[in-house]
């Protein structure tokens, strides 16, 4: 039976996907509670962080049960399934792939055995030394013939689970403390054995992770929204370089590495929910302040300010406030449009963005419009938006972006377009403005964006804007989303060889012949310099 592919599809144009985070993680230790349902609702609140697959593991103190599948949280689980997941501990996960493709075998939590019991593990982030970790497993065991690696799992999460199998230590807690210092990159791990819930955050704290309190237990989650959804109060963030264990004796904290904060600034710009709070700073207020700062840096004579829903709304509010221009809802978004197994007709494909967004003509007609969005990736979405506004009668359209130009890929858990596809890579402002068809275009400065977060520059990762990577990267042939799915490479003789050729995880974003002319026209003036 055909089924939906599990995307909420916030992208307004399928060929211009927004940056995607890897995952949302959730864990709960709460005797007497229906922990599977708590995990379900926690993942529901974190669905924006991962929309390809979802899974929940529970333990009753004797056995661990896992259920996972491809799809949204609401597609994967129902009342009957959740009822079978009994226990007092649970780990939940919703995934967007940044290591390993979107397939059932890569869904999480991963399951593995250790000398001290079974482990179920979920991961948010991206390890930069996956090749090295795979080599370590090969040196110890030869080609992996155990656990989820032997079943086709090609994620860095499966590597961590496998390495726990023979890590030295008198308990899983000691094993984890021995393994964690050897992991490099961005990672928030939430895992459990039969009796204890664990959580760990990388020394840079690239991705968020918070600790919460229930009346009868504890919760850890990627964002506070998940805590609020299940009725947990926020205690604090898990610190960079911190490992915690939760059981009947309470919460134990260990430091496995010194903190060297490099929090992802793009969490403040786009990834996190607006109601998140990261390192004491409201994400919503950060985005409003980005809009204010954008207006201070570049204000145009105009009649109204409108956002691109929904991610551009807070910045548009700030821009309107600082510029003195009236805020208006120029677009109405169809919240119920998502990607399904039903393919649109050629006529509907040609309509493109209009399936998801409609202009309020009476709001924009004969107006000089400032339209605010959070970022530009390839530029196709902005071009379609500008065209729609002008077709609706807007006299002028001025595009304002509340982040600097994205020029570099992320290796810490965000799936951007390739560098060659990023419109800001190699094109001038004039060329980008012409490509999107706007009367003017302005980005916030990097300094203005950082100032809006309320964080010191030295504690933020700005690699996608600046090209400055705070965590050392491996050689180019030892990194990438499909690293563990590649054919045999030098130094990795036992790597699984993928048979045949299957569509990649971004195959749905490929242009069909009706969309190709639009793409060529949109980028014709930037092709040579952008290297496409």
């Amino acid at each position: 039976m055909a089924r939906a592919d599990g995307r909420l599809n916030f992208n307004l144009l399928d060929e211009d996907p927004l940056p995607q985070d890897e995952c949302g993680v959730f864990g709960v230790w709460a005797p007497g509670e229906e922990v599977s349902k708590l995990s379900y609702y926690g993942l529901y609140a974190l669905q924006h962080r991962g929309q390809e697959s979802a899974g929940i593991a529970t333990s009753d103190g004797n056995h661990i049960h896992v259920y996972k599948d491809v799809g949204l949280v609401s597609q994967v689980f129902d009342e009957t399934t959740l009822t079978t997941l009994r226990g007092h501990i649970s780990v939940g996960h919703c995934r967007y792939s940044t290591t390993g493709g979107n397939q059932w075998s890569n869904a999480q939590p991963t399951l593995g055995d250790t000398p001290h019991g079974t482990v179920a593990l979920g991961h948010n982030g991206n390890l930069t030394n996956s090749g090295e970790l795979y080599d370590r497993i090969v040196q110890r065991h030869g080609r992996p013939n155990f656990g989820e690696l032997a079943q086709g799992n090609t994620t860095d999460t499966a590597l961590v689970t496998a390495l726990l199998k023979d890590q030295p230590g008198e308990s899983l807690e000691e094993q984890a403390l021995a393994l964690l210092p050897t992991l490099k990159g961005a990672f928030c791990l939430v895992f459990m054995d039969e009796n204890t819930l664990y959580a760990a955050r990388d020394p840079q704290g690239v991705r968020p992770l918070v600790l919460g309190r229930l009346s009868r237990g504890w919760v850890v989650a990627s964002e506070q929204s998940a805590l609020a959804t299940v009725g947990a109060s926020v205690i604090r963030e898990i610190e960079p370089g911190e490992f915690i264990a939760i059981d009947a004796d309470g919460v134990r904290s260990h430091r496995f590495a010194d903190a060297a904060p490099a929090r992802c600034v793009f969490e403040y710009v786009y990834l996190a929910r607006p109601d998140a709070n990261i390192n004491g700073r409201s994400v919503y207020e950060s985005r409003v302040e980005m809009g204010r700062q954008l207006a201070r840096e570049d204000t145009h004579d105009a009649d109204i300010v409108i956002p691109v829903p929904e991610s551009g709304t807070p910045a548009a509010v700030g821009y309107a406030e600082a510029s003195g221009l009236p805020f208006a809802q120029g677009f109405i978004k169809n919240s119920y449009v998502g990607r399904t197994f039903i393919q649109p007709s050629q006529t509907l494909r040609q309509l493109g963005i209009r399936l998801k967004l409609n202009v309020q003509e009476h709001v924009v007609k004969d107006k000089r419009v400032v339209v605010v969005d959070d970022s530009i990736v390839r530029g196709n979405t902005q071009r379609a938006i500008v065209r729609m506004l002008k077709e609706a009668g807007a006299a002028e359209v001025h595009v304002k972006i509340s982040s600097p130009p994205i020029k570099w890929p992320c290796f810490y858990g965000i799936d951007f377009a390739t560098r060659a596809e990023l419109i800001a890579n190699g094109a001038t402002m004039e060329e980008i403005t012409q490509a999107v068809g706007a009367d003017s275009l302005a980005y916030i400065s990097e300094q203005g964006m950082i100032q809006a977060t309320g964080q010191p520059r030295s504690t933020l990762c700005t690699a996608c804007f600046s090209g400055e990577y705070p965590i050392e990267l491996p050689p180019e042939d030892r990194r990438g989303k499909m690293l563990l799915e590649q054919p045999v490479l030098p130094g990795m003789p036992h790597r699984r060889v993928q048979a045949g050729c299957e569509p990649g995880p971004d195959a749905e974003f490929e242009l069909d012949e009706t969309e190709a002319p639009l793409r060529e026209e949109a980028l014709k003036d930037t092709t040579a310099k952008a290297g496409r």
Side-chain angles (χ1 to χ4, degrees), residues 73-124:
V73 175
S74 60
Q75 293 173 317
V76 172
F77 298 101
D78 56 26
E79 187 81 25
T80 301
T81 304
L82 293 173
T83 300
T84 65
L85 295 171
R86 299 186 179 91
H88 66 285
I89 313 174
S90 181
V91 168
H93 189 272
C94 52
R95 181 173 190 258
Y96 185 89
S97 52
T98 58
T99 297
N102 177 26
Q103 56 201 41
W104 182 88
S105 59
N106 286 341
Q108 298 180 34
T110 56
L111 197 64
D113 66 303
T114 76
H116 310 291
T118 308
V119 61
L121 188 147
H123 171 211
N124 175 34

Side-chain angles (χ1 to χ4, degrees), residues 210-234:
V210 294
L211 173 67
R213 189 75 163 99
L214 291 167
S215 59
R216 293 193 287 184
W218 299 87
V219 178
V220 290
S222 293
E223 296 180 25
Q224 289 96 321
S225 59
L227 303 187
T229 298
V230 301
S233 57
V234 177

